[in-house]
Amino acid sequence: MAASRFSPSTVVVTNHLQEFSANRNAAEEDGVRSGYSMNNASYRDISDTASSSYTEMTTTTSMAYLPQTVALCELRHNGFEDCVPSGPSATGIVSKWLPRDRMKTGYVALVLCLNIGVDPPDVIKISPCARMECWIDPFSMAPQKALETIGRTLNQQYERWQPKARYKYSLDPTVEDVKKLCATCRKSAKSERVLFHYNGHGVPKPTLNGEIWVFNRSYTQYIPLPVSDLDSWLKTPSIYVFDCSAAGLVVKAFTELQEGSASSSTPSMQDYILLAACEAHETLPQSAEYPADVFTSCLTTPIKMALRWLCTRSLLHESFDYSLIDRIPGRQTDRKTLLGELNWIFTAVTDTIAWNVLPHELFQRLFRQDLLVASLFRNFLLAERIMRSANCSPISCPKLPATHQHHMWDAWDMAAEICLSQLPCLVEDPNKEFQPSPFFTEQLTAFEVWLDHGSEHKKPPEQLPIVLQVLLSQCHRFRALVLLGRFLDMGPWAVDLALSVGIFPYVLKLLQTTTPELRQILVFIWTKILALDKSCQVDLVKDGKHTYFIRFLDNVEAYPEQRAMAAFVLAVIVDSHKRGQEACIKAGLIDVCMRHLQGSSPNDAQTEPLFLQWICLCVGKLWEDFFEAQIIALHADAPAILAPLLSGPQPEVRAAAVFALGTLLDVGFDTLKEVHGDEDGDDDEKTRAEGIIVKNLLNMVSDGSPLVRAEVAVALSRFAFGHNKHLKSVAAAAYGKKSQSTSVFTSIPALATIGSGSGYTNPHYMTQGSAVPSAPLLRVGNQSPAVSRDGRVSTSSPVATAGMMHGSPLSDDSSLHSDSGAVNDCASNGVINHARPKPLDNALYSQSVISMCSLAKDPSPRVANLGRKVLSIIGIEQVVTKPIKFIGGNTRPSESSVPSSSSLAGLVRSSSWFELSGGHLPLAFRTPPVSPPRPSYITGIRRVCSSLEFRPHLLNSPDSGLADPLLGSPSTSAASERSLLPQSMIYNWSCGHFSKPLLTSVDDNEDMNVRREEREKQALEHIVKCQHSSVRKLHNQIAGWDTKFETGSRTALLQPFSPVVIASDENERIRVWNYEEATLLNSFNNHDYPEKGVSKLCLVNELDENLLLVASNDGSIRIWKDYSLKEQQKLVTAFASTQGLRPGGRSVNTVVDWQQQSGYLFTSSEVPSIMVWDLDKEQLATSIPLGSDSTISALAASQVHGGQFAAGFVDGCVKLFDLRTPEKIVGSTKPHAQRVVGLAFQPGLEPAKIISASQAGNIQFLDMRRNKEKETYLTIDAFRGSLTAMAVHRHAPLIASGSAKQLIKVFNLEGDPLGTIRYYPNFMAQKIGPVTCLTFHPYQLLLAAGAADACVSIYADEISPP
């Protein structure tokens, strides 16, 4: 990145996407761009050089001005402020399809009413007639023997489908026999399903009432058996198979019976399934080509039945020996044999048909809950196909749609014919090797074709059930898993479809395999499943499957991205799952994670940030609220291992590391701790570790990424919760003593800083201003323990007395007369009856309070909201919600601005109320009666809030408003207390990465690339025109805009590729105007608590979808997208760019400039240093100390030479810096006697030529490479004092300067005046007010001028631009 930032400026126009994939940061700004070389001393030589230099410019050289990098385009920049990530659901799509209520058919009752040799009276048989029952000719042996043989055979056929069930059969039974059989089965089956199979081929058709027939004892009569009796004996759950003519009558009667009893029955009583051979008006087929029990044969011997039926209709029927079908080698359960292959294909085909035609819930119930039911319904689909060809229509309840003409039957026919073609050879030579069917290979190919062209909005892939079946085969498994992974990657809808097929138990079982090549794809598949639903974490832990992912995580040979997925899976397993945490601790997950974190460097280019991010999130979830894991982590030195990640280049990694450290902090719940042998030793170690952790967290308060700062706020809330009373006491003591005669605390010396001495590592700064802005008023709660004489916080203090709770005024020294032991420690403050961590160093508590206040005034609304929640935990609560409007700089609020007694009910009029008015968040603290603190540990809060002012409040209501949000009764539950803590979002937010497509990038950048190329072409054309322009005048006003700003226009900016001007005022109101159409596009506030106005507006990514960078005078940086769309603006990021402001300083005036090529933002204020922010990393790249008391008043970054910038000072000095040099500073000179108000690099490619303007009115041309005497080679006396603004065109030889005396003068680089724009008194003439800002169009000869009278005017040369 460093090399690319500072490479020579010879850029060519290339594909814009390459810069996106490089994940590099840059942005752009409308300021002055580069240095134009003029090397001769004499004025005439300068003129000649300038002329020749511009003439020799070429298009190739001009392309150096078009940076290819793009900044702030990561996922974290897309709606971070408003997003509410939910993370994996606990009851989502996995839960919906997970077979939690799997059922088993435990008993099977077989009832055969054949009465062999006697035909029923209502049946007229044809000749020849179907005779086979269970593939046995009943007339080939004695009737009784045949009956028993058929019964046993049917028993054996069913056992193939459910070998573990108990079977009982009754042959030609009576009513009593059936009743006894049913009662026995139901009694033994208990809550399991019972199957009742009825063969009525030897009895009459069912009656119109749906009664089936059985026999009397002597077989002289047919006895009807009502289905109501049958239902009362078998009850539910049950499944009925009726193989008889007019079986639809039975189904109809059964359905009517169930509907009649549905109102009084429970839902479980309705769990019945019916399969019937034909409709109510149909008779079973009698053709000799079918067996007599063709329906039963389809249900129990589907392969044999399907092949016999197929052979009569295929090309094989003339040459094929049908007897070979009974001699098919192999077993149905062995997929490597012919019979097993056929059964496997048949299962895949019928599953596919069912899944494609049935509602997924019904498919789940019939094909996934019960093995026997699933087999029967697969075979029922075959029965429908075969019997439909014989004009019979099998029916079922629940009813299935017609499937007999589904095209997948053609695939079955083809696969079966291929297998049958091998059958003669295999029977003749048993040793001949069987050649598997190409069916599965072809179906996987079809699925792959769908993946190439399918989408969520197209028909789902019908091969999905086949992919599931293929997972059972080792030869196809890897390809099937890869294709399945591609499918799951298409989105949540794809995961839902896969789970509806029943993929879950298959991929769960595959975690038992040790095949190396399957590990990566299995981890990926589980990543996609768990990204949507974590409810299956129980299943993964129950069978020890979590160790699979731990081993993969520990495998250094795997790619870091894949190991990051394993870390994600483990994080989901332990997320709010105690058993998961315990199992992973037992498996040594902490040691594995710590070992890999130690071996990784966050600054190493080879280290995958996603891997580090998820290792941190994984361990954070592992020890979150788990005391035993926290102790193990401390023994493993986790805080020291995680600390280096806090300075890593990726904000996501830093935020994850903060999260991991934050979850190590104890929130003070007894429920988190279990009995340990060395509890005191663990507590001591934890106390020491907490001190180290908090110090690290405090150093992150000023991080450049709101994602990181939000996690810091959440982590500090845990610390505040656990150390509530100590923090309250420190806050109260800091603000509780104040002299009545002064507005500044005199008893607060300097506080020892935490971290290094640089401004960046001191997060306790607070901006000080002369005006108190609109903001909620906050208060300190009434609960704070006393401070003892040695500076330690007292563990028992009278803080909850009735007098205080009811607003009774107590003197500040009342604690001197109180009994320190009157109130028990456990009830003295904060959460009642909970163990508290041991107190830390009091200076650390002071620093923590300061940092919490800093977070509460963060530029990011989300972070500020979290910061206010943290303050509420230590008793600083919001009590006034309406803004308090202040009139002037140091003006105090009028009496009318003081809240009424009703809004501050119960607060005491006391000298213990003070306001923290630093920044935009006034805070009011109420102190309890405490002993005078030792000043040594409250030191330096003056540095943060030296303008603290006392303001009494008039309160009349006795109703107390001081209740601590954490104060509860002894019965307050830990869960309700925990709900008060702000919740982290980094984990849920990071989970969103895995729910998006990972294998294929969404190609939505094509239009962006085309637009980028068009803009580059347009920019280059304009650059050449600018470089070759010969402007004589620049006073043609083409547009005038009354911004209606009350305080005038402070800054202005012209968009490069649209006729749009952006302006802002002192109140940080931003307005966007189309100057061609004279329409206001948008108007919005930069933030809710404006302070000192906008310092500068810059454009980031001006050649792409540009962003608006708004720099406030207080150092806050906010970057907006969609800012030109009415009320559609979104905050991309926000941070405070200047830290460590000096106490007692003058009004803040931050200066900034932006460098697109390097992605650096240069900022400075009253602190004697220059902050260089890397917006790619969103952190401070470096801080350049100035070693001078002089304050910077102007900054200019070179837009050609990355890392080079110039600074102008209040005392008139100008310095040139280059980050590529070790010393950073290149040259220094003092061309002015007064403040530098304008600074810019000259147009062109030369690096050291600068133009500076001072408040005195003179403009100096500087060459910083020359010696001191010759650095200034040209001076323009533009004004006699009152110079307020200067702008230099990025590419044209133009300089504009503005004055408070309502004048604008334009010069060329030779110093020749090109025109003056002045105030004219008559109303017909153009007019301007005192000039406040000037800016040139980046690529056209346009000048925008803002004035104190709120007008923004746009000027062109004598010929208006195209």
Side-chain angles (χ1 to χ4, degrees), residues 955-1156:
L955 304 163
N956 300 320
S957 171
D959 184 22
S960 174
L962 291 177
D964 193 320
L966 303 181
L967 183 63
S969 64
S971 61
T972 303
S973 66
S976 63
E977 294 162 359
R978 177 63 188 274
S979 66
L980 298 169
L981 287 175
Q983 297 302 307
S984 167
M985 67 165 283
I986 181 64
Y987 171 75
N988 288 341
W989 181 83
S990 299
C991 289
H993 169 78
F994 293 110
S995 61
K996 295 179 174 60
L998 301 177
L999 299 178
T1000 56
S1001 59
V1002 181
D1003 191 15
D1004 57 354
N1005 296 315
E1006 187 172 342
D1007 294 339
M1008 189 184 302
N1009 294 336
V1010 172
R1011 187 163 53 250
R1012 164 86 185 201
E1013 291 174 0
E1014 292 175 353
R1015 289 182 173 181
E1016 285 180 341
K1017 181 179 179 182
Q1018 183 180 352
L1020 289 175
E1021 291 175 354
H1022 285 297
I1023 287 173
V1024 173
K1025 290 181 181 179
C1026 289
Q1027 291 171 340
H1028 292 274
S1029 65
S1030 56
V1031 180
R1032 291 185 174 85
K1033 300 267 184 198
L1034 193 71
H1035 56 72
N1036 180 28
Q1037 183 175 355
I1038 64 172
W1041 173 33
D1042 183 3
T1043 62
K1044 301 188 185 303
F1045 288 140
E1046 295 178 0
T1047 58
S1049 303
R1050 177 63 186 267
T1051 54
L1053 179 66
L1054 289 168
Q1055 273 197 356
F1057 301 104
S1058 56
V1060 170
V1061 60
I1062 309 158
S1064 64
D1065 68 350
E1066 289 283 352
N1067 294 324
E1068 303 198 42
R1069 185 77 179 170
I1070 297 171
R1071 288 177 179 159
V1072 185
W1073 189 61
N1074 185 310
Y1075 54 80
E1076 283 189 356
E1077 300 176 359
T1079 56
L1080 183 67
L1081 302 180
N1082 195 18
S1083 177
F1084 62 95
N1085 288 320
N1086 189 34
H1087 61 106
D1088 293 335
Y1089 306 107
E1091 298 228 325
K1092 302 294 290 295
V1094 174
S1095 171
K1096 190 165 188 177
L1097 299 176
C1098 304
L1099 280 184
V1100 179
N1101 307 333
E1102 72 175 27
L1103 292 173
D1104 299 273
E1105 296 298 329
N1106 55 63
L1107 309 173
L1108 179 64
L1109 187 152
V1110 183
S1112 301
N1113 276 337
D1114 66 348
S1116 299
I1117 304 295
R1118 293 173 179 85
I1119 300 177
W1120 300 87
K1121 65 184 294 187
D1122 300 331
Y1123 57 89
S1124 60
L1125 304 178
K1126 188 172 183 60
E1127 298 181 356
Q1128 299 296 315
Q1129 69 280 352
K1130 296 181 180 64
L1131 188 62
V1132 174
T1133 188
F1135 63 98
S1137 65
T1138 54
Q1139 282 87 33
L1141 296 181
R1142 292 174 296 178
R1146 297 177 300 276
S1147 60
V1148 181
N1149 187 19
T1150 301
V1151 291
V1152 303
D1153 204 6
W1154 166 250
Q1155 193 172 67
Q1156 179 76 39

Side-chain angles (χ1 to χ4, degrees), residues 444 447 467 470-471 476-485 525:
L444 287 179
F447 182 50
V467 176
V470 170
L471 295 180
H476 299 293
R477 184 175 293 160
F478 178 74
R479 184 187 179 196
L481 283 173
V482 171
L483 295 178
L484 178 62
I525 288 173

Side-chain angles (χ1 to χ4, degrees), residues 30 118 209 454 528 591 639 893 945 971 1007 1194 1270 1315:
D30 79 314
V118 180
N209 294 328
K528 302 305 294 186
D591 291 335
C945 38
S971 61
D1007 294 339
K1270 297 182 180 180

Side-chain angles (χ1 to χ4, degrees), residues 417-496:
E417 287 181 350
I418 292 174
C419 291
L420 287 177
S421 65
Q422 301 182 57
L423 184 56
C425 298
L426 293 174
V427 172
E428 183 179 348
D429 183 6
N431 296 323
K432 185 176 178 61
E433 185 178 355
F434 162 66
Q435 297 297 323
S437 167
F439 171 80
F440 289 105
T441 302
E442 292 169 353
Q443 293 299 318
L444 287 179
T445 301
F447 182 50
E448 189 171 7
V449 171
W450 187 95
L451 290 175
D452 293 336
H453 304 284
S455 69
E456 180 181 5
H457 307 293
K458 295 184 179 180
K459 183 181 178 181
E462 63 182 19
Q463 299 84 11
L464 207 52
I466 298 176
V467 176
L468 182 70
Q469 290 294 324
V470 170
L471 295 180
L472 301 172
S473 170
Q474 290 185 356
C475 59
H476 299 293
R477 184 175 293 160
F478 178 74
R479 184 187 179 196
L481 283 173
V482 171
L483 295 178
L484 178 62
R486 285 182 56 189
F487 179 68
L488 297 180
D489 194 50
M490 299 181 78
W493 63 272
V495 179
D496 182 69

Side-chain angles (χ1 to χ4, degrees), residues 118-126 129-130 200-206 213 222 244-246 282-286:
V118 180
D119 292 335
D122 59 347
V123 175
I124 300 176
K125 292 189 176 181
I126 64 174
C129 181
H201 296 171
V203 293
K205 298 176 183 178
W213 298 96
Y222 298 111
C244 59
S245 296
E282 295 175 344
T283 304
L284 293 177
Q286 295 187 21

